[in-house]
Amino acid sequence: MDPETPQHHPIASDLETVPMIVTKTDLDDVLPLVARGKVRDIYMVDEETLLFVATDRVSAYDVVMGNGIPNKGVLLTLLSTHWFSLLSAAHPTLKTHFLTLSLPPSIPLPHQPLLLHRSMQVRKCEVFPIEAIVRGYITGSAWKEYRERGTVHGIPLEPGLRECEKFPNGPLYTPSTKAEQGMHDENIHPDKAISHVGSTYAPQMATLALSLYTTAHDYALSKGLIIADTKFEFGLDSTTTPPSIILVDEVLTPDSSRFWPLDRYEPGRPQESFDKQYLRNWLTEDGLGGKKGLEMPGWVVEKTEEKYREAFETLTGKTLREFVGEVAKERK
């Protein structure tokens, strides 16, 4: 393992008091590395199982920062498991790749404290090459396109919409292609998804993404948060006949979604956000967007961690310590 502060372990007894920052893992002597993304290190457990390890790396403008956000990987992993459970209960036929938060037995004891709570075993599957984005409110790149052309992902919309306004006819399915790391994804019209995933699965993905977003949006509203938009990823479960769509990757986290506080929501202006907005603002204001080899100043790290933690606690109704304690009890 290669943490920034190896003397501290993210276990239940000290998660709240001594944050751990893990920006890279090294299990090559135990499990083969499959991929290293912007946030996750993925290892092969066996022919049917992968180990997803969420590090504390953080990226903006397609560049990974040199330092990380304390406990970010733990927050992302545990929030994803919360959503997997909630969505599966609301949609009984939903299949997900999540298997367990328990570590594989092959992980040596010295490695385990650094991997606990930020790792999940998932079933291996073929992942579709598009991101299934659902937008409930017009903001970000959608707002920019609408102002320029009156469309969102090529979908014509009525005139007169205000920034951050809820789409009057319901959420939009607005997929994008997946680019290689360091490159930009391409927003596409929903009809073009067929050329990437086929005519059988494209409409199924659209319907499922919209349904999951609606469930999550309604739940978040009851907790005082607006999910303005989110990105789902889907894979193909070839063990069923016929093969079926399966929900994969992280789900409805501050890295994959835009969360706004309901009590401060006001259309017609940019909203406060529970994500890495402090990081993006710092990069933009200092003219550093897209520059490599940067380390975040302490105040950006602190404010970003606060926002991730606040989103987690608002959505789960538990502190990180409480959630980790419940996970530990379930393992016994």
Side-chain angles (χ1 to χ4, degrees):
M1 301 294 294
D2 182 22
E4 291 182 359
T5 51
Q7 70 274 24
H8 301 309
H9 292 169
I11 55 178
S13 61
D14 66 3
L15 261 174
E16 301 287 89
T17 57
V18 188
M20 173 63 171
I21 301 179
V22 176
T23 56
K24 185 180 179 182
T25 63
D26 182 2
L27 297 177
D28 289 346
D29 58 334
V30 182
L31 300 174
L33 180 70
V34 176
R36 201 183 299 278
K38 292 177 182 176
V39 174
R40 281 166 185 77
D41 295 344
I42 303 174
Y43 296 91
M44 175 80 75
V45 178
D46 55 44
E47 290 301 317
E48 298 178 349
T49 313
L50 300 174
L51 182 69
F52 271 33
V53 184
T55 71
D56 299 322
R57 295 192 295 265
V58 63
S59 68
Y61 301 111
D62 295 312
V63 175
V64 178
M65 299 295 105
N67 51 342
I69 304 297
N71 284 321
K72 175 175 177 279
V74 177
L75 292 164
L76 295 184
T77 298
L78 297 184
L79 183 56
S80 288
T81 63
H82 173 77
W83 283 114
F84 282 134
S85 176
L86 188 149
L87 293 174
S88 294
H91 301 266
T93 60
L94 175 67
K95 293 187 175 183
T96 81
H97 73 159
F98 175 71
L99 296 173
T100 179
L101 285 171
S102 298
L103 297 174
S106 58
I107 301 294
L109 195 60
H111 285 332
Q112 292 182 15
L114 300 179
L115 297 172
L116 277 175
H117 314 310
R118 66 171 68 247
S119 306
M120 58 183 177
Q121 293 190 67
V122 302
R123 71 177 90 178
K124 185 180 177 183
C125 65
E126 177 187 355
V127 178
F128 288 108
I130 65 170
E131 295 185 338
I133 300 169
V134 180
R135 304 177 189 271
Y137 301 73
I138 188 163
T139 186
S141 62
W143 172 242
K144 182 175 183 293
E145 180 186 335
Y146 176 75
R147 285 188 300 168
E148 294 173 353
R149 299 191 288 275
T151 61
V152 171
H153 285 238
I155 304 170
L157 295 177
E158 60 268 49
L161 294 180
R162 297 169 293 167
E163 182 177 8
C164 297
E165 185 174 349
K166 188 174 185 179
F167 288 114
N169 296 318
L172 299 180
Y173 176 65
T174 56
S176 73
T177 61
K178 290 182 183 177
E180 296 295 324
Q181 188 165 329
M183 305 296 288
H184 294 286
D185 298 336
E186 178 189 356
N187 292 342
I188 59 174
H189 189 283
D191 292 345
K192 289 188 176 180
I194 294 175
S195 64
H196 294 273
V197 302
S199 59
T200 298
Y201 299 114
Q204 292 181 36
M205 290 174 64
T207 299
L208 181 55
L210 287 165
S211 180
L212 294 178
Y213 170 81
T214 299
T215 297
H217 177 268
D218 292 348
Y219 171 83
L221 274 185
S222 73
K223 300 292 185 177
L225 285 186
I226 293 172
I227 303 177
D229 51 44
T230 195
K231 174 199 74 174
F232 296 109
E233 294 201 37
F234 296 106
L236 193 62
D237 182 1
S238 58
T239 65
T240 63
T241 305
S244 54
I245 290 177
I246 182 172
L247 179 63
V248 303
D249 202 55
E250 65 177 318
V251 182
L252 294 153
T253 72
D255 269 12
S256 64
S257 314
R258 210 180 308 251
F259 298 139
W260 297 335
L262 178 60
D263 61 356
R264 295 191 288 279
Y265 171 63
E266 183 182 342
R269 60 167 177 81
Q271 309 297 308
E272 294 181 40
S273 193
F274 291 88
D275 57 16
K276 46 193 172 185
Q277 193 61 50
Y278 283 104
L279 171 57
R280 287 192 291 260
N281 290 347
W282 168 65
L283 291 170
T284 301
E285 291 167 5
D286 287 23
L288 300 173
K291 186 176 180 179
K292 297 182 179 180
L294 295 175
E295 293 214 353
M296 299 171 286
W299 69 269
V300 172
V301 172
E302 180 181 349
K303 290 294 186 181
T304 303
E305 194 272 343
E306 286 178 2
K307 285 299 180 182
Y308 275 76
R309 187 179 292 260
E310 187 177 354
F312 175 89
E313 293 179 351
T314 301
L315 288 167
T316 66
K318 300 178 180 69
T319 66
L320 184 54
R321 177 190 290 274
E322 291 169 343
F323 201 103
V324 166
E326 290 188 3
V327 169
K329 288 180 182 178
E330 291 174 1
R331 284 202 181 101
K332 293 180 179 179

